[in-house]
Amino acid sequence: MILQVTVTKYLPTNVYFYVDEESKHGFIIDPGAEADKLKKVAEERGFVMEKILLTHGHFDHIAAVNELQEAWGAEVYMQEKGKIYAENPAWNLSDQLGKDIILHDVNYLPDNAVITLKDKPDFRLQLRHVPGHTSDGCIYYSEQDGVAFVGDCVFRESYGRTDLPGGDEETLLSKITERILTLPKETVLLSAHSEETTVEHEMKMPWYAGRLK
Ligand SMILES: [Zn+2]
């Protein structure tokens, strides 16, 4: 099951709980603020959060990580280029908040890594590296559920900004085309700052014209 919770302390960010219905164990994606609210959601529903997955290292996706990591004993995962964002407030942009955020205990994963529950390897997500909004940008794809958590790569009828450290527009558009728009057309794309969309819908956007095969 997928539960979306919007946190609003900074920018409104969609946080996703991706949880196995049977065992109630699961992952949280992009806990960007309001750790207390997220802890309460998990507690009320009996969720056991094994892993914290980050689509990239901007403050509005990571600000609740340290507190949740400690509360849940969960492991934190990012794409392997994420270290500079995890450890440098000028890159994760928390230096602009007046409260530096640094993540100390992160597992870095290569492209195509598969993330599973400890006791249920069938419950899994695939990391797909989609740089361009940031150099560590990635999505987490569930083939089984036909859904992808796409962070700030894709928004409904839009895409992430590319003027921040590590960003590059040409890279983003070509990687979205290669790594997201090649997924099955009906795949639902769950983004961090917009309503959901689908591969099929986004393929119609003019900025991908000429890139699609
Ligand atoms: Zn971002």
Side-chain angles (χ1 to χ4, degrees), residues 56 58 61 133 152:
H56 63 294
H58 280 155
H61 298 250
H133 171 61
D152 290 0

Side-chain angles (χ1 to χ4, degrees), residues 162-204:
T162 54
D163 58 333
L164 298 166
D168 181 73
E169 187 170 40
E170 175 54 34
T171 302
L172 181 60
L173 292 175
S174 70
K175 289 297 172 182
I176 289 172
T177 308
E178 286 168 29
R179 304 307 311 277
I180 299 179
L181 301 185
T182 50
L183 294 172
K185 282 191 172 76
E186 61 279 9
T187 304
V188 174
L189 306 178
L190 297 172
S191 96
H193 305 291
S194 83
E195 287 168 29
E196 67 179 51
T197 184
T198 62
V199 167
E200 186 169 27
H201 187 73
E202 294 309 308
M203 283 173 90
K204 294 176 196 147

